[in-house]
Amino acid sequence: MASKEESIIDATEPAVPRSLPVPLDGSFKYEYVHRFVPKSNFGLTFVVILASIVDSFSQGYDGSLMGSLNAMPPYVDYFANTSEAMASFRTAATYIGGIVALFLMPYYANVRGRLECMFIAFLFVILGGGIQGGAHNTGMFIAGRIIIGVGTGIAAVSAIPYITETSTDKWRPFAQGMYYTCWYVGTLVAAGICYGTEDMNTNWSWRIPSLLQCAPAVMAIGVIMFLPASPRWLLYKGRHRDAYEVFTILYGNGDPANEEVKAHYIEALETIEFERSSGKQMDVRGLFSTWGNFRRTGLAMSTSVITMLSGSNIVTYYFSTMLEQAGVTSSHTQLEINVILSAFCLVIAVVGSHAAVYIGRKPLVLWSLGTSTIFLYMFGGLSARYGNSDNKSGIYGTIACMFLFNGAYSFGQTPISSMYPAEVLSYSMRSAGTGVTFVVAKGCGLLVTFAFPYAMDKLGWKIYMINSSFNVLCFIFVYFCWVETHNKTLEEIDEMFDGKTHFELPDELEMLESQRVVYEPKL
């Protein structure tokens, strides 16, 4: 009969010798975590959430910027000699750059780490913002937009996995949710800056907001200086002590002997080693290698389809056209509405991100998707009835429905867009899977950018009815197909898809220190 110690060691399949890589005799000191990294749970969690906020701020700024520039007469006049298709291409250029980056960077993110990718991403955004702001022709403007897209694409495959892997279980939903919630901070700032420069009536009215795209990227580089590498990435690279130091801060508040630190270390180590020993691939091929992986990937990609095609992108990029169809023709009034709308969505999205800590992912999305669909139906109906009239009540009611739609969307779909894909994807899939998810998102964005201008011109209010009907199908899919991940660790979520646990936590964790088996994984 196997001894108790042997049963603990052999609890997983494949068997992995468990050992703690640090002494617990009081001589523990940080050797990897540098002096700029906060040494408390609160401090490190705060900086991780701040990184989520700043990166999202950078992307949200770009998203709102083009919607505001398209309503500025100096910008429209400067590029007036280009076709309508070229105008759409200027807006969509970031999607093209993002798709290119998302195919190339997942492998780099796994080899060199998420933080290094984030740093490179912000350098691209700074370069692209400078080129866009100084553009003398359409080609130069598009080049700047593509470079910005490359930066945002790199950030997508690095920042979201990093935030997911370096947040505690308690704060992970909030940190993930804030990634796209603070997208609205960027939209609000961009809308406010454009509102302030609109009266300049010169090309500087659109050059200044374009150049200021560099500012949030510079801020993000500053935040990176206070972050350690992802502990799960460190484990995969065989840097056990370094990973344990990060877990010590996250779960032990600086105490390496804390039982929760040991438990999370073992859980993460054995799950990652299971993926390594099972031969799971780190590239796109691994996303479809098993039924469980295929299911994970499908659910992750469905998040992009739902959040990108449920109507929000029409408002983001073509809110001026929507307002014109609703009877609001003044560009000054349109910019005022954009500022107010961005502030409103920001507040609602923060509330939704906080709510994600307490309620499940499916209820959050179903409530958001259901109510936003109702409001989009109402917006289409009111646009049909009052779009070409002088009825003030009808026009205000139409605008109110736009606000209600965006509020309902922001409550659930904004935070879930970065939360759910990263949770359902395992470690070996997370970087490549996030990349594929964002390729789908960028593809949907291209569809909206190129197709919807023509659809809105030919169909008018009917396009909102079609979009709302599509949302009903999405609601049904989420209800029957999505898997609930609320109140589960990343490793427990893996068990839901793979059908078995990859780790067994012993009751007597103090026995680990006496084992002291040195484990060196294959690199």
Side-chain angles (χ1 to χ4, degrees):
M1 181 174 180
S3 67
K4 190 173 186 180
E5 180 176 331
E6 289 173 340
S7 65
I8 293 174
I9 295 177
D10 297 334
T12 60
E13 182 182 353
V16 177
R18 296 187 180 125
S19 65
L20 295 179
V22 297
L24 301 181
D25 56 3
S27 62
F28 173 80
K29 62 181 178 180
Y30 294 109
E31 296 180 357
Y32 160 70
V33 177
H34 56 76
R35 60 190 180 92
F36 294 116
V37 175
K39 302 303 188 295
S40 68
N41 168 274
F42 174 82
L44 183 54
T45 300
F46 175 81
V47 177
V48 170
I49 294 175
L50 183 61
S52 176
I53 290 172
V54 175
D55 185 51
S56 178
F57 175 91
S58 177
Q59 297 196 43
Y61 187 100
D62 176 73
S64 176
L65 179 63
M66 291 309 299
S68 296
L69 294 188
N70 286 328
M72 283 185 174
Y75 171 81
V76 175
D77 294 341
Y78 192 82
F79 296 103
N81 61 334
T82 56
S83 64
E84 184 176 351
M86 186 59 67
S88 296
F89 188 67
R90 288 200 303 272
T91 301
T94 52
Y95 288 130
I96 297 172
I99 289 173
V100 172
L102 292 172
F103 276 116
L104 299 177
M105 293 307 294
Y107 176 78
Y108 189 87
N110 286 324
V111 174
R112 298 295 301 173
R114 283 73 160 112
L115 281 183
E116 186 169 317
C117 277
M118 291 167 66
F119 179 79
I120 294 172
F122 298 130
L123 292 181
F124 271 98
V125 173
I126 293 171
L127 175 62
I131 294 175
Q132 177 180 317
H136 295 295
N137 51 54
T138 298
M140 188 174 177
F141 189 90
I142 290 175
R145 299 281 298 156
I146 291 176
I147 293 173
I148 291 172
V150 172
T152 56
I154 295 173
V157 299
S158 54
I160 293 178
Y162 177 83
I163 293 162
T164 301
E165 296 166 3
T166 317
S167 302
T168 61
D169 300 329
K170 176 182 178 181
W171 289 104
R172 189 182 73 238
F174 183 73
Q176 292 170 316
M178 289 299 287
Y179 186 84
Y180 272 130
T181 292
C182 288
W183 191 90
Y184 288 113
V185 177
T187 65
L188 178 61
V189 172
I193 291 174
C194 290
Y195 180 76
T197 60
E198 180 204 13
D199 293 333
M200 298 177 69
N201 291 322
T202 66
N203 289 327
W204 283 109
S205 64
W206 61 268
R207 291 189 186 279
I208 290 175
S210 296
L211 291 170
L212 287 177
Q213 264 183 299
C214 303
V218 173
M219 294 167 54
I221 290 176
V223 173
I224 289 176
M225 300 298 296
F226 296 89
L227 294 172
S230 158
R232 289 168 173 83
W233 177 79
L234 290 170
L235 283 175
Y236 200 87
K237 301 298 290 185
R239 296 168 58 179
H240 293 180
R241 181 189 173 89
D242 299 344
Y244 198 88
E245 289 184 15
V246 180
F247 279 128
T248 296
I249 298 174
L250 287 173
Y251 294 101
N253 211 29
D255 177 17
N258 185 285
E259 300 297 314
E260 192 174 0
V261 176
K262 302 174 188 177
H264 279 279
Y265 167 77
I266 294 170
E267 188 178 30
L269 170 64
E270 295 192 355
T271 300
I272 288 176
E273 177 54 25
F274 170 83
E275 295 187 21
R276 185 201 307 275
S277 62
S278 299
K280 292 194 174 183
Q281 298 162 311
M282 303 284 284
D283 56 18
V284 176
R285 293 172 297 173
L287 302 180
F288 307 97
S289 58
T290 66
W291 166 245
N293 285 6
F294 182 84
R295 189 182 178 198
R296 294 174 192 258
T297 306
L299 292 178
M301 291 192 297
S302 72
T303 308
S304 295
V305 174
I306 292 169
T307 56
M308 294 295 288
L309 297 182
S310 61
S312 64
N313 274 330
I314 308 176
V315 180
T316 299
Y317 289 109
Y318 300 107
F319 82 97
S320 59
T321 303
M322 295 178 71
L323 289 175
E324 287 175 1
Q325 292 178 346
V328 180
T329 57
S330 169
S331 62
H332 186 78
T333 303
Q334 290 176 6
L335 288 173
E336 286 180 333
I337 293 174
N338 192 28
V339 172
I340 298 171
L341 182 61
S342 296
F344 172 72
C345 291
L346 171 62
V347 174
I348 298 299
V350 171
V351 173
S353 296
H354 188 65
V357 178
Y358 303 101
I359 64 177
R361 312 299 186 252
K362 287 178 66 172
L364 187 73
V365 173
L366 290 173
W367 188 94
S368 172
L369 189 57
T371 53
S372 64
T373 299
I374 293 172
F375 292 133
L376 192 58
Y377 270 127
M378 293 173 61
F379 181 86
L382 290 172
S383 295
R385 177 66 177 83
Y386 299 107
N388 296 317
S389 72
D390 296 326
N391 189 309
K392 294 293 185 182
S393 298
I395 293 174
Y396 292 150
T398 306
I399 295 173
C401 283
M402 178 187 288
F403 272 75
L404 291 171
F405 166 81
N406 276 272
Y409 176 92
S410 302
F411 180 77
Q413 295 177 70
T414 294
I416 208 72
S417 58
S418 56
M419 184 187 308
Y420 195 69
E423 286 184 336
V424 299
L425 296 168
S426 65
Y427 175 81
S428 62
M429 301 172 63
R430 192 163 290 129
S431 202
T434 302
V436 170
T437 300
F438 272 76
V439 167
V440 174
K442 299 298 183 182
C444 293
L446 281 172
L447 173 64
V448 171
T449 304
F450 281 105
F452 272 71
Y454 297 100
M456 294 171 73
D457 181 54
K458 300 296 182 182
L459 299 176
W461 61 270
K462 298 182 184 70
I463 190 63
Y464 308 125
M465 300 304 187
I466 296 172
N467 206 145
S468 299
S469 301
F470 172 77
N471 291 353
V472 173
L473 299 178
C474 293
F475 184 95
I476 296 172
F477 178 83
V478 172
Y479 184 84
F480 287 103
C481 298
W482 273 33
V483 173
E484 184 57 69
T485 59
H486 181 55
N487 274 343
K488 296 185 181 296
T489 67
L490 296 178
E491 287 70 30
E492 289 170 341
I493 294 171
D494 289 345
E495 180 184 352
M496 294 171 61
F497 287 96
D498 295 336
K500 59 181 178 179
T501 183
H502 310 314
F503 58 91
E504 287 289 343
L505 295 180
D507 294 328
E508 297 82 3
L509 282 171
E510 62 270 14
M511 294 185 62
L512 291 170
E513 186 61 18
S514 63
Q515 290 174 217
R516 302 305 296 163
V517 180
V518 178
Y519 170 63
E520 292 294 340
K522 297 179 181 179
L523 299 180

